Amino acid sequence: MIKRKKTRAVRVGRVIIGGGFPISIQTMWKEPIGDIDSNLIEKINALQAIGCDILRISVPDIRTAERVGRLTENIDIPLVADIHFDYRIALRILDFNIAKLRINPGNIRDKTKIEKIIRKASARGVPVRVGINSGSLPGDLKDERDTALAMVKAAERELEIFSKIGFESIVFSLKSSDIHTTVRANKLFSERYDYPLHIGLTEAGPLIQGTVKSTIALNKLIEEGIGDTIRVSLSSSPEDEIIAAKEIVSSSTGIKRGINIISCPLCGRASFDVHSFLNKIGPSLNSMDKNITVAIMGCVVNGPGEAKSADIGITGAGNYAVIFKRGKMIHKVSSERAAELFKEELLKFQ
C-alpha cells in the first residue's frame, strides 16, 4: 500500500482535497458556456455519473462568469472557475456559489489585484488553486535553465501574497508538458510544503500519446505519495480524461475505483465482435461505481477461462455468445441479444 504524504485538507464544495482523503478526479469542460439549459445540465451530470468529482470551467469574461454562476444553482458537482488575465472576472464569479477559483501567476501579476481576489475568496469561504504552468511562467522566470525550480519559485512568490493575508485554503499545481520537469517540480514543492497538490501533465496530447505520457508522469508521483487530485489533460473528450484518470489512480494505488474491464484486442479467431459490444455497453460500464471485474472476450481460446474468473463475463463460442456470472454459465445467446442480456445482469450488481 502506498503511503501518501500528509497534506492539509481543503474543502471544494462536497469534495475534500488532501488531508488523507481519496485522490479526486477532475476534468475540464471543453466548450464555451452558453444558455443554462437541460441539455447542458444533463451532459455535466453524465460526467459526474462516470466518476468526475470536480469540474473546471474556463471563464474568459464577465458574461461567462454570470452564466457559470447560474449553472452552480442547477448542478451538484463542484465547479472550479478558471481565471486568466482579468482579476475582475474572479471578483465577479465570487458573487456566486462557485466551489473553487484557479488563478495563474503568469498572467495575473499585480499583487494588489491578487490581494483583492484573495480577500474576497476568504470572505466567501472559497479555496484557490494556484496553477503554475511551465508555458506561462512570470517573465523573469521564463529564461531560467532549471524550469522545474523556476516553477517552484513562481509558486513560492504567490504563496508569500497568500501568507501575508493569512489565507490557507490553497491548492497548488505545477504542470509542464514534459514528464521529467513535471515530476521534479512537484517533488521539489512537496519536499518544502504540505499544501495539497493537483497533479497532471499539461497539454499531454491526443488520446493514446497523452494517456501514455500522463500515466508515466503521474504514476511516478503517486507511487511516492504525491498528489491529492488529478486531471489527465487530453486532446480528447472529458469522458476519456475521466476514465484515464480513474485507471491511473486505481493502477498506481491499488485502490479500485469503478469496475475493472478485461477485454481482448480481437484477432482472426474471434467469433464475437468485442469492439462493437464495448461501444454498446460502454456507458453502462463506466457509470458503475462497483468493485467488480468484467471480462469481454472474443473466442474460445482464452475467453471461457477469463469470463469464468471475472465477476461477470462474456465470450464468443462459435455462433453464440456465452455469459458467465461468478464462474457459472447463465446464458447462451445469439450475438444480437447479447448486449441486452448482459446489461440486465450488470444492473443486478447495483
Side-chain angles (χ1 to χ4, degrees), residues 9 43 50 94 173 182 191 195 233 241 247 265 307 346:
K43 287 181 179 179
I50 65 170
L94 284 168
S173 65
T182 297
E191 288 168 0
Y195 290 98
S233 301
E241 292 191 352
E247 288 298 320
L346 272 175

Side-chain angles (χ1 to χ4, degrees), residues 324-338:
F324 292 86
K325 196 168 185 179
R326 295 197 170 104
K328 296 181 179 180
M329 187 179 77
I330 57 172
H331 296 293
K332 184 177 181 181
V333 297
S334 66
S335 297
E336 290 74 20
R337 293 198 61 219

